[in-house]
Amino acid sequence: MEYQAAEPEQAEAVFLLVQNTITTVYPRYYPKEVVDFFCKLHNRENIEKDIAAGKVGVLMHQRIMVGTGSHEGSHITRVYVEPIYQGKGYGSYIMQCIEKQIAAQYDKAYLDASLPACMLYEHRGYRTLKHETWKVENDVVLVYEVMEKELV
């Protein structure tokens, strides 16, 4: 297993991984409008821009991309694991790698947690600072947690 910086030629694979995870997992937790919001937020252009800025990593296992993670400063912004690989520790490994990168410069890590990921983050020592909402299409409301973790 190797977590490495994403290369520009991996942008399409990262995009497809993220979109597949959102459209497979999120409908169990959120209405269609919220799923659509996440798909638009994590679009091809944003992923390409983040890769070019050096903000995106990919987790490779036996030459297969099983997950991805991103952060900007101390804020973790995009962690996804292909649905068929979930529950095998890949998400925790990505988080461990990102936290190590952040700890080199910051004392705390922050993230906005979707409902499907809250438990993973709590198990990793994150605590909820506040509950937030964001109005999306058709007056549907996205609910998420703003979380932090002390990095030592």
Side-chain angles (χ1 to χ4, degrees):
M1 210 171 16
E2 183 182 1
Y3 186 73
Q4 61 198 39
E7 300 292 333
E9 59 272 10
Q10 293 175 306
E12 183 67 13
V14 172
F15 170 74
L16 293 173
L17 183 154
V18 170
Q19 294 294 311
N20 183 49
T21 305
I22 292 169
T23 58
T24 301
V25 176
Y26 283 27
R28 296 181 216 151
Y29 300 88
Y30 292 119
K32 179 188 181 314
E33 291 86 351
V34 173
V35 175
D36 292 346
F37 168 81
F38 278 109
C39 286
K40 290 174 189 167
L41 176 65
H42 299 297
N43 63 45
R44 188 176 277 107
E45 181 182 336
N46 287 341
I47 289 171
E48 288 172 352
K49 189 174 13 168
D50 288 348
I51 289 173
K55 299 176 187 176
V56 180
V58 292
L59 180 60
M60 305 299 292
H61 182 69
Q62 298 177 346
R63 296 192 310 225
I64 296 169
M65 185 184 300
V66 297
T68 183
S70 303
H71 73 93
E72 183 170 350
S74 63
H75 187 215
I76 299 168
T77 56
R78 183 188 301 120
V79 176
Y80 288 96
V81 174
E82 276 283 6
I84 62 170
Y85 297 109
Q86 291 179 4
K88 300 178 185 334
Y90 294 120
S92 292
Y93 186 75
I94 291 169
M95 289 298 296
Q96 177 184 335
C97 293
I98 293 173
E99 288 167 2
K100 185 177 178 182
Q101 292 171 345
I102 292 172
Q105 293 184 299
Y106 302 94
D107 295 334
K108 295 179 184 179
Y110 298 90
L111 53 81
D112 300 329
S114 63
L115 294 176
C118 281
M119 292 299 291
L120 166 72
Y121 299 135
E122 285 178 1
H123 286 275
R124 292 204 51 79
Y126 285 82
R127 66 180 186 85
T128 298
L129 296 176
K130 59 184 172 177
H131 305 284
E132 287 287 345
T133 59
W134 186 269
K135 251 190 198 179
V136 296
E137 201 174 336
N138 299 327
D139 289 328
V140 172
V141 177
L142 161 63
V143 178
Y144 63 96
E145 310 292 314
V146 177
M147 303 179 88
E148 78 170 355
K149 178 181 179 178
E150 298 274 342
L151 302 174
V152 245

